[in-house]
Amino acid sequence: MRPTVSQLRAWSPERLRTSASELIEIDRQIEVLGDDAGRSVDAVREFWQGQASSAAAVLWSGISLSSSRLSIAVRVVADLYGGAANTIGVAQKSVLDLVEEATLEHGLTVSDSGAVSAPAPKQPWNVVDVMQDSENATAAQIFQQKISTALTLLDDQDNRAATALGEAFREIGSLLGSQPDSLGRTVVDILDGRSTLPGTPAELHRLWETLSPGEKDALARWDPSIGSLDGLPALDRDYYNRRYLTVLERLPDRTVAAGYAAVHGELRPDTFLLSVTDGHAVVAVGNPDAADNVATLVPGTGSGLSGVGGDLQRTKAMYDAAVGTVPTEATSVILWSGYDSPPGIPDAASDLYANSAARRLDSFQNGLRASHDGPPSHNVVIGHSYGSTVVGAATTRGASLDVDELVFVASPGVDAERVNELSLDRVDAAEVARHVHSTTAYWDPVQLIPKILGIHGFDPSDPEFGAQVFTGSPGEPGFGVHSDYWESGNPALTELGRIITGP
């Protein structure tokens, strides 16, 4: 049954997002308690051996597996809440915008059921009144059709969400009282080496969505780093990566382990660990699968696990700026330290690091599209310093990114002479210039690299390059200005927030 207009006004998609976040946080708290209980069971076995001890360990293993599967099911519900907030929220806004346009701009009356009527004919009639009455009647018919179509679409989205949630809750019910699912042939073949996981994010996502919680767990035991694969939902990536992170923190190489520990120390209830492997980490502030706006920061020279705290501060600053710009929309900003960055300034003269990173960045962006719930999000990639050179490598010489906007911050060059050499999947070549933005502070010495050395092409902040150039605080002479773009009160940060949230 289609909702009424008054019911729609009372709906709160934002509450669904809040509920999703609350479920995730509760799940994480339960996870901590389960880990503590597991350590206690293991500790007992150090001084209690024998048949009873072994039986207790086996029993706990089964309980732990069931708990893990239940956790996945709960996160599916959270993901569905987030997705419903997007799809239903968009459909709700479409109906209410039509109602507002019909009543305020055209003087029509919209009933609670969505029926549209024109004002009563005026008396006595004259030619002007007859023409106006005719226009009103025509407008009423048009809005009646538009509102009816929009209400039908919204009702369909609501029913889809209800069906999906029903299946998710039935899954939870079965987990609370049934044995673990048997593994399907597809998963068994992968585990036995007769097959492999799909090679593209879109294909992997399609397979993943068909798997039961038990099958996902089986694949995670087979490959503990599976959460770092592009195409998996953000909730599942975070779930498996946080568990894998506890293993990485215990690596014998203390320097490497300390880097992973630094990542662990930065995780919060509103952050999602999208990748943690090979000395790299990708962390999102806000769930990208449920966001209207998704931005990815590519950091520059010297970035890595040990410096994740500073990079996440910049990420959070952009998140706050975007939310402050459009507080009614859900936003996610991601720190993508998913590549081997140049370790020092002399190394940054080479394109090798950027070229090797380009394909990884492309795959990551394709994965964001594959796992996103609801209508396509507004996606932005922001390259800082050498990170902009990485973005350039991913959008030139036949390469392209599936994003809506590019932003270059303090760029030493993007291996292009003009903006029309860059390519975006969803933007016509003639329109690319409108979707590429760049800024460099007046005192930032990085601008000397393309002007004097010219090793990475033209300066994208030079008006001749053709990008949309925006300005920020000029800074002070020295190298400190190179990181000032995210300081509170810098106009550049405000502009970054505006670009992230779209036109």
Side-chain angles (χ1 to χ4, degrees):
M1 181 176 177
R2 296 194 320 189
T4 64
V5 174
S6 58
Q7 287 174 333
L8 277 187
R9 295 190 189 280
W11 282 12
S12 177
E14 188 58 40
R15 187 67 186 87
L16 283 174
R17 293 193 181 100
T18 302
S19 296
S21 299
E22 290 172 348
L23 280 174
I24 294 169
E25 178 56 22
I26 291 171
D27 175 60
R28 288 174 179 164
Q29 292 174 7
I30 294 173
E31 173 194 338
V32 171
L33 293 174
D35 289 343
D36 289 343
R39 282 190 289 271
S40 296
V41 171
D42 291 340
V44 167
R45 296 196 68 196
E46 293 180 5
F47 56 83
W48 179 38
Q49 302 294 329
Q51 200 169 19
S53 174
S54 298
V58 171
L59 180 60
W60 173 254
S61 177
I63 294 173
S64 179
L65 177 60
S66 297
S67 175
S68 176
R69 295 175 69 242
L70 181 61
S71 177
I72 293 175
V74 170
R75 286 182 289 106
V76 168
V77 173
D79 196 24
L80 287 171
Y81 278 167
N86 276 3
T87 55
I88 295 176
V90 170
Q92 174 202 35
K93 184 176 185 300
S94 175
V95 174
L96 296 181
D97 284 350
L98 284 170
V99 171
E100 182 175 339
E101 183 181 356
T103 56
L104 299 183
E105 296 184 21
H106 295 270
L108 306 175
T109 300
V110 181
S111 71
D112 202 36
S113 66
V116 183
S117 57
K122 298 177 181 179
Q123 295 290 343
W125 287 2
N126 58 48
V127 174
V128 175
D129 288 340
V130 169
M131 293 177 62
Q132 183 62 55
D133 290 341
S134 176
E135 289 181 6
N136 290 340
T138 300
Q141 291 177 351
I142 293 174
F143 275 100
Q144 174 74 65
Q145 181 60 44
K146 288 182 177 180
I147 292 175
S148 178
T149 300
L151 280 170
T152 299
L153 175 61
L154 185 145
D155 187 46
D156 180 61
Q157 298 285 8
D158 189 36
N159 289 334
R160 286 172 184 264
T163 300
L165 281 168
E167 293 175 356
F169 282 115
R170 281 192 293 274
E171 176 69 23
I172 290 176
S174 68
L175 289 172
L176 292 174
S178 67
Q179 296 298 317
D181 298 334
S182 60
L183 301 181
R185 172 56 59 186
T186 299
V187 173
V188 171
D189 285 346
I190 293 172
L191 299 179
D192 290 346
R194 290 188 296 269
S195 182
T196 59
L197 288 170
T200 69
E203 292 170 337
L204 178 59
H205 181 76
R206 283 193 291 269
L207 170 64
W208 192 261
E209 292 295 284
T210 67
L211 303 180
S212 69
E215 289 174 321
K216 293 176 181 179
D217 277 349
L219 288 173
R221 289 192 296 272
W222 167 72
D223 178 9
S225 66
I226 197 167
S228 295
L229 296 181
D230 299 323
L232 268 61
L235 286 171
D236 285 347
R237 296 182 76 156
D238 181 71
Y239 177 77
Y240 290 115
N241 285 331
R242 287 188 185 233
R243 282 154 178 75
Y244 187 40
L245 182 59
T246 62
V247 176
L248 297 173
E249 289 180 273
R250 297 194 295 267
L251 289 174
D253 187 323
R254 292 188 176 182
T255 301
V256 175
Y260 288 117
V263 174
H264 196 165
E266 294 294 335
L267 298 181
R268 300 289 183 270
D270 64 340
T271 57
F272 295 77
L273 185 57
L274 302 184
S275 179
V276 57
T277 184
D278 300 329
H280 305 124
V282 178
V283 182
V285 179
N287 184 352
D289 289 348
D292 303 297
N293 308 296
V294 180
T296 302
L297 171 64
V298 183
T301 300
S303 59
L305 296 180
S306 61
V308 69
D311 288 330
L312 275 175
Q313 286 182 0
R314 297 173 185 136
T315 305
K316 186 64 164 60
M318 289 190 290
Y319 173 85
D320 291 339
V323 171
T325 302
V326 185
T328 58
E329 295 182 354
T331 293
S332 174
V333 182
I334 303 166
L335 168 62
W336 188 79
S337 293
Y339 78 108
D340 294 321
S341 67
I345 293 178
D347 306 287
S350 173
D351 282 331
L352 293 178
Y353 300 93
N355 293 337
S356 64
R359 184 171 295 182
R360 286 188 175 191
L361 180 60
D362 184 36
S363 175
F364 180 72
Q365 294 302 317
N366 290 341
L368 291 177
R369 292 296 190 191
S371 62
H372 190 266
D373 297 317
S377 52
H378 176 256
N379 286 15
V380 181
V381 169
I382 302 158
H384 174 228
S385 193
Y386 191 87
S388 68
T389 308
V390 172
V391 177
T395 54
T396 56
R397 297 184 293 277
S400 183
L401 289 177
D402 191 357
V403 300
D404 302 289
E405 315 281 340
L406 299 179
V407 185
F408 302 130
V409 179
S411 175
V414 296
D415 287 324
E417 298 301 315
R418 294 294 182 270
V419 71
N420 58 13
E421 297 176 34
L422 307 178
S423 177
L424 302 178
D425 290 1
R426 301 186 181 216
V427 179
D428 185 87
E431 297 294 320
V432 167
R434 294 178 51 246
H435 297 265
V436 178
H437 314 262
S438 186
T439 187
T440 302
Y442 179 83
W443 284 111
D444 195 329
V446 75
Q447 62 190 295
L448 300 177
I449 295 176
K451 293 177 180 177
I452 297 177
L453 301 180
I455 53 176
H456 294 307
F458 206 77
D459 181 358
S461 291
D462 190 311
E464 291 187 22
F465 183 81
Q468 306 299 308
V469 179
F470 61 99
T471 60
S473 299
E476 300 290 339
F479 290 101
V481 65
H482 194 56
S483 300
D484 286 350
Y485 300 88
W486 294 273
E487 293 295 323
S488 177
N490 193 328
L493 179 59
T494 303
E495 185 65 12
L496 285 169
R498 188 197 65 78
I499 295 170
I500 290 171
T501 53

